[in-house]
Amino acid sequence: MMNQLHKEKPMNELPVMNESEGIVLFHPHIPETAVEAVTSVLHSRWIGQGPRVAQFEQEFSERFGGNGTSIAVGSGTDALHLAYILAGLQEGDEIITPVFTCTATSIPFLYMGVKIRFADVDPETLNISVPHVRELINEKTKAIVCVHYGGLPCDMDELHAIAKQYDIPVIEDAAHALGATYKGKNIGEISAFTMFSFQAIKHITTGDGGMLIIQDNSIVQKAERIRWFGIDRSNKQKGTWENDITEVGYKYQMTDISAALGLASLHEFDQTLAYRQQLFEEYKKGLTGAQGIRLIGDHSPDRTHAAWLCTAIVEKDRVSFMRRLRENKIESGQVHYRNDRYSILGGRQDNLPNMDAVEEKYIVLPLHLKVTPENIQYICEVIKQGW
Ligand SMILES: *Cc1c(COP(=O)(O)O)cnc(C)c1O
């Protein structure tokens, strides 16, 4: 019975590729300045949540948050769980969330007993399908979650119009979309809750970490309490503290070691983003006129792409395509899978025709700071020779 839903044969015969062997799919980016910054934290009094975390939150809000507040946590998954709690989701509530995403988007709903209604993908962008959200929404729906796949923002105006009609929040999983903009606004300042991830291979990494930007500043203190066992930490640090704990909290805080890494990366983020966007452009150029393959999210006049992933649709034989690349020392992969393939998330749904149509066709190509424009020209040449 194992894996009965997975139609494609597993690619076990392709061993994990080492970076000395060719162009790998992902590579973490750690600026040189981060090494010194972390060392100085290690020599200081604060290594857990201390002044560096506060500074990282402050600078992050200034860059991405509009009038909102940033809450630093231990992972993107923590940030999503925190957002779902702050959105008031209760056991038995329904939410609408995209089927095509990292499992991290969906799993926290299982912690809470919230019922997941998976929305299909838009065939052009692989973002959440707005028409399908309209179809799924009902009086029991308590939030709409969206993921900016690969770094291209979703149709935010349309999603907000639906959410407004039902008086429910939009929660953005922006793990792919740090630095993306939608109609001139930063991703981070648009919805009630926006989550970012600093996991190893994201735009900015803190080893592991995450950030939640909250636009309603009246719930920031609650967010800070839930991040730390339900305790008002800043009051407790004053010395005498005899208060009660009245909310279930978690140990979801970021450490100063992580925040030092985050700050160093934030300070050079504009260059990081520009370089990633340049590489994405290189793919666009290189694949112009290529047969049997098209890029996802490559034209978007009213929004900018954060270029976390370069994803393409290959019309036939994805396995041969991947083998052909690998013979030429190029790694590729799927990265995310439709979440309804997992038993714990309810198993396969039959109302997702766009996902069905692309599930064996999408492929992610290398795009990170160790990749050069010349590497991409080479990758595109290999692709154009066919598979
Ligand atoms: C990376 C990622 C996350 C989870 O982040 P972690 O920091 O690993 O918990 C969530 N959603 C998406 C879409 C991601 O790519």
Side-chain angles (χ1 to χ4, degrees):
M1 290 291 281
M2 253 183 60
N3 245 348
Q4 63 173 6
L5 303 177
H6 188 44
K7 283 184 275 171
E8 188 179 67
K9 272 200 286 171
M11 309 248 324
N12 302 341
E13 60 272 56
L14 289 184
V16 173
M17 202 167 102
N18 207 306
E19 60 178 303
S20 61
E21 295 171 85
I23 308 168
V24 292
L25 186 52
F26 290 114
H27 199 291
H29 173 56
I30 307 285
E32 271 312 311
T33 51
V35 177
E36 205 183 314
V38 169
T39 306
S40 112
V41 169
L42 293 176
H43 290 144
S44 77
R45 181 184 165 212
W46 292 96
I47 59 168
Q49 186 194 335
R52 287 282 169 275
V53 170
Q55 190 191 343
F56 187 32
E57 290 174 331
Q58 178 69 30
E59 293 189 21
F60 198 84
S61 297
E62 282 162 14
R63 174 67 176 80
F64 304 107
N67 297 317
T69 302
S70 300
I71 304 286
V73 289
S75 72
T77 312
D78 296 352
L80 285 167
H81 186 202
L82 190 55
Y84 300 162
I85 294 169
L86 293 167
L89 300 181
Q90 304 282 339
E91 189 168 350
D93 287 345
E94 281 188 14
I95 51 82
I96 297 173
T97 191
V99 71
F100 186 50
T101 180
C102 176
T103 43
T105 317
S106 308
I107 296 280
F109 295 122
L110 303 181
Y111 306 164
M112 305 171 77
V114 168
K115 187 171 186 313
I116 295 171
R117 301 291 302 269
F118 283 123
D120 205 353
V121 294
D122 176 302
E124 294 303 316
T125 60
L126 304 186
N127 277 338
I128 193 165
S129 155
V130 172
H132 198 216
V133 172
R134 281 201 195 98
E135 226 175 276
L136 291 172
I137 199 154
N138 66 72
E139 296 301 330
K140 282 183 274 176
T141 312
K142 293 295 185 277
I144 298 171
V145 178
C146 67
V147 176
H148 309 299
Y149 178 74
L152 182 75
C154 298
D155 297 326
M156 297 315 297
D157 283 353
E158 289 80 358
L159 292 174
H160 275 275
I162 303 170
K164 194 164 171 220
Q165 209 184 326
Y166 285 80
D167 196 24
I168 58 174
V170 174
I171 301 169
E172 296 180 45
D173 175 337
H176 298 186
L178 189 64
T181 63
Y182 175 83
K183 299 189 177 172
K185 282 191 183 152
N186 284 313
I187 291 299
E189 56 182 311
I190 298 170
S191 298
F193 303 99
T194 308
M195 158 278 190
F196 297 93
S197 164
F198 309 126
Q199 182 253 342
I201 56 175
K202 299 285 158 65
H203 287 82
I204 287 181
T205 181
T206 61
D208 256 318
M211 196 72 89
L212 181 65
I213 299 183
I214 298 173
Q215 288 302 328
D216 175 359
N217 288 310
S218 73
I219 56 172
V220 166
Q221 285 186 332
K222 179 174 179 168
E224 288 173 345
R225 287 194 303 272
I226 293 172
R227 172 176 62 178
W228 187 264
F229 301 124
I231 292 173
D232 181 343
R233 196 169 176 266
S234 52
N235 260 332
K236 186 163 180 264
Q237 279 170 358
K238 288 175 187 161
T240 55
W241 184 83
E242 292 167 9
N243 291 323
D244 195 8
I245 299 175
T246 58
E247 293 151 310
V248 177
Y250 297 83
K251 190 134 191 279
Y252 276 179
Q253 87 291 355
M254 180 179 278
T255 68
D256 265 27
I257 298 170
S258 296
L261 264 167
L263 277 163
S265 298
L266 183 60
H267 295 158
E268 64 165 55
F269 176 71
D270 289 338
Q271 293 98 287
T272 304
L273 179 65
Y275 187 70
R276 297 190 77 107
Q277 289 171 330
Q278 183 198 341
L279 296 180
F280 193 78
E281 289 301 313
E282 204 64 53
Y283 272 116
K284 274 198 218 177
K285 238 188 334 180
L287 291 175
T288 303
Q291 297 296 308
I293 183 166
R294 69 180 164 91
L295 284 186
I296 285 293
D298 64 342
H299 43 77
S300 46
D302 62 352
R303 54 201 90 176
T304 57
H305 197 302
W308 187 59
L309 296 178
C310 178
T311 304
I313 298 291
V314 292
E315 282 311 328
K316 61 172 177 59
D317 278 337
R318 182 171 64 186
V319 173
S320 320
F321 179 91
M322 291 177 75
R323 282 216 188 86
R324 182 94 184 87
L325 289 190
R326 188 59 83 88
E327 283 159 17
N328 289 281
K329 312 282 182 226
I330 303 158
E331 195 180 27
S332 60
Q334 269 68 64
V335 187
H336 299 324
Y337 294 91
R338 56 186 301 167
N339 275 200
D340 68 338
R341 78 204 275 268
Y342 304 115
S343 314
I344 50 155
L345 292 171
R348 193 172 174 102
Q349 306 291 306
D350 60 7
N351 61 343
L352 306 166
N354 299 341
M355 186 74 244
D356 296 344
V358 296
E359 75 174 308
E360 297 193 0
K361 293 183 175 174
Y362 68 91
I363 187 83
V364 178
L365 301 168
L367 195 169
H368 50 79
L369 271 75
K370 300 277 186 205
V371 173
T372 64
E374 293 71 31
N375 289 154
I376 291 178
Q377 288 153 17
Y378 164 73
I379 294 168
C380 294
E381 284 313 312
V382 170
I383 291 173
K384 280 177 167 163
Q385 287 161 19
W387 58 94

